[in-house]
Amino acid sequence: MSGDAPIISASIGPGRLVLVVGPSGAGKDTLLGLARAACADEAGIVFARRVVTRQASAFEDNEQLSADAFQAALQRGEFAMHWEAHGHFYGLPRAIDDDIRAGRTVVANVSRMVIEPMRRGYAKVVVVAITAPSDVLARRLAMRGRTSDGALEHRLQRAIAANEEPDMTIVNVGSAEFHARQLAEIIRGSRLGE
């Protein structure tokens, strides 16, 4: 089930899909939350709400489902994309396709493993990697203390093993506000010459 692409006869467009990826502890949810607030008055920008089978933290904007409810939603075709990571299931609602067909920019926090199928399925995909040095990631993950995602060493190793090239990279070691402004500029297309 990991990274299965939806059956699509042609790439979905004309809107843009901005995929935010990065290792656990990089600060993706923090920067996404701040960028969402910065773009709140822009009707052409939509932040997709992931469906997950683990309890969401206060820093994430996810919909939580049980594993059985997730599988039932999957069977009904409710996800544009789904994947498994850290022993949990994740999905993006099919509604993102309608937003992209309407010309909107959809922003989604995803796993690197779905980048390739999403590049095939959507006409305009921009991949933004949010990262930090490994010592910073280790410190942030230890402070988080969320054991449901697996052992700290394995999570850091997965971060190092990922090799999908992003279109843009944000090294999140400065102020969250500064890096969120960078992300908002990318979402709006101003850092991509659009």
Side-chain angles (χ1 to χ4, degrees), residues 156-177:
L156 287 172
Q157 191 60 40
R158 282 192 300 262
I160 294 166
N163 60 6
E164 175 70 35
E165 281 296 316
D167 298 302
M168 305 286 286
T169 299
I170 296 173
V171 180
N172 186 18
V173 293
S175 79
E177 292 75 14

Side-chain angles (χ1 to χ4, degrees), residues 1-2 7 33 38 70-71 74 76 88 90 109 114 118-119 122 124 142 145 149 162 167 173 181 183 185 188-189:
M1 158 158 160
S2 179
I7 298 171
F70 187 97
Q71 292 299 321
L74 180 62
R76 292 189 299 270
H88 302 288
Y90 298 76
N109 178 356
V114 299
M118 293 191 92
R119 282 196 194 275
Y122 296 87
K124 296 178 187 173
D149 286 347
D167 298 302
V173 293
R181 281 194 302 273
L183 180 57
E185 288 176 15
R188 292 178 180 123

Side-chain angles (χ1 to χ4, degrees), residues 5-191:
I7 298 171
I8 299 171
S9 58
S11 295
I12 297 174
R16 292 170 55 238
L17 181 59
V18 178
L19 303 178
V20 177
V21 299
S24 295
K28 297 182 300 294
D29 291 310
T30 299
L31 298 189
L32 280 165
L34 292 169
R36 182 184 302 110
C39 298
D41 295 332
E42 299 176 47
I45 298 175
V46 177
F47 285 78
R49 193 163 188 240
R50 290 187 310 183
V51 177
V52 299
T53 60
R54 64 164 168 76
Q55 186 171 358
S57 75
F59 304 104
E60 298 172 314
D61 184 28
N62 296 329
E63 178 184 342
Q64 180 184 349
L65 283 182
S66 70
D68 289 341
F70 187 97
Q71 292 299 321
L74 180 62
Q75 293 301 315
R76 292 189 299 270
E78 294 180 11
F79 300 121
M81 180 62 62
H82 63 281
W83 64 96
E84 182 178 1
H86 315 304
H88 302 288
F89 298 111
Y90 298 76
L92 293 178
R94 176 101 25 223
I96 70 168
D97 293 351
D98 296 332
D99 286 319
I100 292 172
R101 285 185 183 106
R104 298 182 189 95
T105 294
V106 173
V107 183
N109 178 356
V110 300
S111 167
R112 288 177 185 260
M113 72 178 75
V114 299
I115 292 173
E116 183 182 338
M118 293 191 92
R119 282 196 194 275
R120 286 192 312 264
Y122 296 87
K124 296 178 187 173
V125 176
V126 176
V127 178
V128 182
I130 298 176
T131 190
S134 58
D135 61 320
V136 173
L137 295 174
R139 186 169 56 252
R140 289 176 182 169
L141 288 173
M143 288 182 351
R144 183 185 293 175
R146 187 169 66 203
T147 58
S148 68
D149 286 347
L152 178 62
E153 303 81 33
H154 294 126
R155 292 164 72 193
L156 287 172
Q157 191 60 40
R158 282 192 300 262
I160 294 166
N163 60 6
E164 175 70 35
E165 281 296 316
D167 298 302
M168 305 286 286
T169 299
I170 296 173
V171 180
N172 186 18
V173 293
S175 79
E177 292 75 14
F178 172 75
H179 293 306
R181 281 194 302 273
Q182 289 180 308
L183 180 57
E185 288 176 15
I186 294 167
I187 291 166
R188 292 178 180 123
S190 56
R191 298 221 26 206

